[in-house]
Amino acid sequence: MDQEKFEFSVFFSQYNLPLTVKACWGEEKEREKALAEVSEILRLLENELKEKRFFGGQTLGMVDIVANFIGLWLGAFEEASGVQLMTREKLPKLCDWIDEFVSSSITKESLPPRDKLIVYLRNRFGGANVSK
């Protein structure tokens, strides 16, 4: 794995996931700060896609696989917590990427069922975050 892909992988596993948990289920003050940081990260990813279908170009690659957190988990976090992290109006390219990623035959076979993931998240972190 080249250095850029490695750094992207570390970024998602050690920074983005904990930050997203805080944005969805953290205390109000930390949740607001984390939500702003997650929004900035999503804008950076939106800009990185430019006119590409996937992060590496027209075919699914390593960076897309590392970004599966955005492709599957982010929407499940939103649904389980009741916190909206992204919209198609604000991030159309990223939303298009998510659609392409989850409908790819390569990832379709490997991703866990979304409904089971949402149940897991609600059991792990609690239901909808009513104090948004």
Side-chain angles (χ1 to χ4, degrees):
M1 181 183 304
D2 67 32
Q3 185 65 28
E4 184 177 309
K5 291 176 183 170
F6 175 76
E7 289 172 2
F8 193 75
S9 176
V10 169
F11 168 76
F12 267 92
S13 63
Q14 295 186 359
Y15 182 71
N16 199 39
L17 178 59
L19 189 60
T20 303
V21 170
K22 285 181 185 177
C24 291
W25 288 284
E27 297 297 322
E28 188 172 353
K29 186 177 179 181
E30 91 177 340
R31 189 173 63 243
E32 290 173 11
K33 181 180 178 202
L35 186 55
E37 289 182 52
V38 168
S39 295
E40 181 61 27
I41 291 166
L42 294 173
R43 278 192 293 278
L44 289 171
L45 292 172
E46 171 85 2
N47 292 335
E48 184 62 33
L49 280 166
K50 298 178 178 118
E51 299 304 319
K52 299 179 286 188
R53 182 175 173 201
F54 294 102
F55 284 103
Q58 293 304 310
T59 58
L60 189 69
M62 179 62 77
V63 175
D64 301 289
I65 292 168
V66 170
N68 83 75
F69 174 77
I70 302 294
L72 174 71
W73 290 73
L74 193 66
F77 272 57
E78 288 179 314
E79 189 171 335
S81 69
V83 173
Q84 187 174 37
L85 299 168
M86 62 183 291
T87 65
R88 186 166 291 281
E89 294 74 32
K90 290 182 182 177
L91 303 164
K93 293 175 195 171
L94 195 55
C95 288
D96 288 345
W97 174 84
I98 289 170
D99 294 343
E100 291 277 355
F101 180 79
V102 297
S103 64
S104 166
S105 61
I106 296 169
T107 55
K108 226 182 224 185
E109 298 172 10
S110 304
L111 296 175
R114 181 182 165 93
D115 58 337
K116 290 183 179 180
L117 180 55
I118 292 167
V119 169
Y120 167 78
L121 291 170
R122 285 182 177 151
N123 288 335
R124 172 74 170 87
F125 297 109
N129 195 336
V130 293
S131 62
K132 291 184 261 183

